[in-house]
Amino acid sequence: MKKGRERRLQSGDAFWERQRCAPLYQALIQHAERRPHPFHVPGHKMGRSFDQEAKQQYLPLLPLDLTEISGLDDLHQPEGVIAEAQALAAEAYGAEETRFLVGGTTAGNIALILAVCRPGEKIVIQRNCHKSVYHGIILARAKPIYVVPAVDPATGVAAGLRREDVERTLQEHPDAKAVFLTNPTYYGMGIDLRRMAAVVHRFGIPLLVDEAHGSHFGFHPELPDSAMGSGADASVQSTHKMGTAMTMCSMLHLRGERINRSRLYQALGMIQSSSPSYPLLASLDLARRHMLIEGAKELDRVLPLLKRLRERLASLAWLALPQLTENGVYTTLDPLKLMLDLRTEALTGYQLQQILEQYAIFPELTSSQHVLLAASTGTSPEDVERVWQVLESIDLPPSSGGYRIRQTGGVLSSWFLREQVMAMHEALDADRFPIPLEESEGRIAGEMVIPYPPGIPLLVPGERIDQQALQWLLALKRQKIRFHGVHDPSLTTIQIVT
């Protein structure tokens, strides 16, 4: 199968003529231009009744905030302009079929798991996957078979899965119904998906990919190829993250016959709103057109800026960025992601975030040793120059104890190896009560503990809280990390199973 970008380069004039259209957006504009009399929801009636203070800001969008009326199709039974927009997206992204999502990649991940798993069935998943994958498993009452990710020794962060680990797991669990992995990671690290797909398909099951941070993949020669271009059966992309759609807009792409699409569409209909936002849907239509028609030129401008920034940052001894190496644990690296890896004891990631925000630079993600900057086609030369000016101006004291080269590997990797005492859904259905976090060692977790961002659970319901897990949770609590999934956001207490 040809890569997506090669396929598009070889496309004729008819392809580009089709892709310059935005049928859903254009239908909304045409309807608004009729100056209709709206006796339907929503109640603001195309902006005629709206908060006066905010009306000036919202008014350009409100005439497009419509519903399933004649000529505007229905997301859950697309036969008109939504069907046309999704078909154009499938063509652009190299899929056989594409579905628009207004519940984010979360909705797509959950729906895929509900489509491939029935209660009690196994699914192989990457242990550092997003919380939505765990939520899908809980709803499906499926049995997760974890594969621990490789850890990058240079930065200490979990990267992707090894093919040999997945193959061994499938040999041990031949009744698994699918493999679900994340590619790329939040930090932009990726694996060779083409080879991974070949391994998974030898067992006759689908490869499902959470590609939330890869909606731009395959649209420029300097970017990795997409999951669809690499043989995956399904991928879910957050078109709002690295693309230009509005927040919570994603796409689900499909290829092949290994996924029961009827079950998938049924699941999407159950977990997504029956009244989806038309401005959000139209932004997906426009984001697809923008990436094809304008995105490549914008990437031609942005990528050299980021390359130059990396070269300049290499002169700062207290800072490092991930580098592709021949024997590394990841084989692709998104050039739009800048993971600042701190190599000094004089500054934490949280302190660096505070410095950056003093100069109106707002990072995507921060941890004790890392700060992640996410660029895009919308990143300007002024943005990049400002980052360099601020980082270059930081003067670390020579008495800081020197620069550190982090020794990692077993510690972070073993974090993912908790004893699963009972199924997640059973733990959530059981009687639970809170106890002080300090007293929780040896108890069974009754809730999901999720540092956010990035939204990867460090502890899931039904796992035993061992000494290492407790120490990690206490350390995160001291750092005042935000948590999702817990009843006590301060993590002073934690829910356990009785």
Side-chain angles (χ1 to χ4, degrees):
M1 181 168 52
K2 295 179 180 178
K3 292 184 177 181
R5 69 174 71 97
E6 293 174 347
R7 182 169 51 250
R8 287 187 292 273
L9 286 173
Q10 295 175 4
S11 299
D13 292 341
F15 170 87
W16 293 105
E17 184 176 352
R18 288 191 302 273
Q19 290 295 328
R20 286 188 177 90
C21 298
L24 177 54
Y25 168 73
Q26 290 161 352
L28 294 178
I29 293 295
Q30 290 169 4
H31 182 82
E33 288 176 345
R34 294 181 64 186
R35 302 179 65 84
H37 304 282
F39 284 89
H40 56 76
V41 298
H44 62 69
K45 304 301 181 187
M46 303 179 72
R48 298 170 193 173
S49 176
F50 202 76
D51 181 86
Q52 286 301 310
E53 181 181 349
K55 191 170 185 178
Q56 183 177 358
Q57 298 296 326
Y58 278 83
L59 191 56
L61 197 59
L62 293 176
L64 307 184
D65 187 21
L66 297 163
T67 189
E68 294 88 349
I69 56 179
S70 297
L72 297 186
D73 209 356
D74 186 333
L75 178 65
H76 299 291
Q77 191 66 43
E79 298 174 342
V81 288
I82 293 178
E84 293 175 25
Q86 291 181 152
L88 287 172
E91 182 181 49
Y93 289 88
E96 290 178 357
E97 189 170 0
T98 292
R99 287 291 173 120
F100 286 175
L101 308 174
V102 291
T105 293
T106 290
N109 287 346
I110 292 174
L112 280 172
I113 293 172
L114 290 171
V116 300
C117 287
R118 290 174 170 81
E121 292 183 335
K122 298 176 183 177
I123 181 170
V124 175
I125 72 166
Q126 187 167 328
R127 180 56 183 84
N128 62 325
C129 60
H130 188 261
K131 63 178 181 176
S132 59
V133 176
Y134 290 92
H135 293 162
I137 290 170
I138 292 169
L139 290 173
R141 295 187 171 241
K143 182 178 181 180
I145 306 299
Y146 298 128
V147 181
V148 177
V151 176
D152 176 33
T155 61
V157 301
L161 299 184
R162 303 178 186 90
R163 293 192 306 280
E164 56 268 30
D165 292 341
V166 172
E167 185 168 21
R168 181 172 58 252
T169 301
L170 290 175
Q171 289 170 345
E172 295 171 353
H173 300 274
D175 52 345
K177 298 301 179 181
V179 172
F180 204 130
L181 56 80
T182 302
N183 194 79
T185 67
Y186 210 133
Y187 295 108
M189 299 169 176
I191 62 172
D192 188 334
L193 272 183
R194 190 176 299 276
R195 293 186 177 182
M196 181 66 79
V199 168
V200 174
H201 290 161
R202 283 206 299 270
F203 292 84
I205 58 176
L207 173 62
L208 317 177
V209 181
D210 179 344
E211 200 174 20
H213 290 266
S215 65
H216 56 310
F217 280 14
F219 285 94
H220 192 279
E222 294 183 31
L223 297 177
D225 200 21
S226 68
M228 285 291 97
S230 301
D233 299 270
S235 69
V236 192
Q237 297 178 333
S238 294
T239 321
H240 67 97
K241 282 186 167 69
M242 301 301 291
T244 56
M246 294 174 67
T247 297
M248 75 184 287
C249 293
S250 296
M251 296 187 191
L252 192 161
H253 305 299
L254 299 164
R255 291 190 67 86
E257 300 178 354
R258 296 184 181 90
I259 297 171
N260 186 324
R261 297 191 188 183
S262 294
R263 284 177 59 86
L264 175 63
Y265 302 152
Q266 183 181 53
L268 286 173
M270 290 190 292
I271 63 178
Q272 292 202 108
S273 171
S274 59
S275 301
S277 164
Y278 271 81
L280 296 184
L281 291 172
S283 79
L284 283 167
D285 197 16
L286 295 170
R288 178 268 314 160
R289 183 173 73 175
H290 173 267
M291 182 56 76
L292 266 181
I293 306 301
E294 304 167 45
K297 295 179 181 178
E298 292 177 346
L299 287 168
D300 283 338
R301 171 185 56 79
V302 171
L303 291 173
L305 295 174
L306 298 176
K307 181 179 179 181
R308 174 57 179 155
L309 176 60
R310 282 187 171 83
E311 293 170 350
R312 297 165 87 179
L313 293 177
S315 66
L316 304 180
W318 58 273
L319 189 64
L321 283 85
Q323 300 285 338
L324 281 175
T325 60
E326 185 174 347
N327 298 315
V329 297
Y330 52 94
T331 58
T332 65
L333 189 60
D334 184 357
L336 293 179
K337 291 290 184 69
L338 297 169
M339 187 179 84
L340 309 180
D341 182 26
L342 276 64
R343 301 300 180 89
T344 175
E345 301 290 352
L347 193 67
T348 68
Y350 305 109
Q351 291 169 331
L352 179 55
Q353 177 187 4
Q354 292 175 355
I355 294 172
L356 291 170
E357 290 183 352
Q358 288 175 6
Y359 295 92
I361 300 170
F362 293 90
E364 168 66 20
L365 170 69
T366 303
S367 68
S368 60
Q369 298 172 346
H370 307 109
V371 173
L372 177 65
L373 305 179
S376 77
T377 55
T379 299
S380 70
E382 293 76 19
D383 295 334
V384 176
E385 184 62 26
R386 191 60 164 167
V387 169
W388 165 246
Q389 290 173 353
V390 173
L391 294 177
E392 190 269 341
S393 69
I394 297 176
D395 184 19
L396 296 179
S399 59
S400 64
Y403 302 106
R404 65 169 178 255
I405 301 298
R406 198 171 301 112
Q407 299 297 323
T408 62
V411 175
L412 186 56
S413 180
S414 64
W415 163 256
F416 296 104
L417 302 177
R418 301 273 80 77
E419 178 190 1
Q420 189 78 37
V421 181
M422 58 196 305
M424 288 187 287
H425 67 268
E426 292 176 352
L428 290 175
D429 289 340
D431 292 333
R432 296 171 290 159
F433 65 93
I435 64 171
L437 178 63
E438 290 81 358
E439 301 174 10
S440 64
E441 184 178 345
R443 309 303 291 266
I444 300 173
E447 60 186 352
M448 199 174 293
V449 183
I450 312 166
Y452 205 89
I456 297 170
L458 293 184
L459 193 66
V460 301
E463 285 185 332
R464 190 177 302 282
I465 307 171
D466 58 20
Q467 183 181 34
Q468 185 189 60
L470 176 58
Q471 293 306 311
W472 276 72
L473 293 175
L474 289 170
L476 291 171
K477 176 187 172 184
R478 288 192 295 269
Q479 295 169 14
K480 301 187 184 301
I481 300 295
R482 289 190 301 133
F483 293 97
H484 284 191
V486 292
H487 284 73
D488 179 1
S490 70
L491 214 61
T492 301
T493 62
I494 187 170
Q495 294 271 329
I496 63 165
V497 175
T498 58

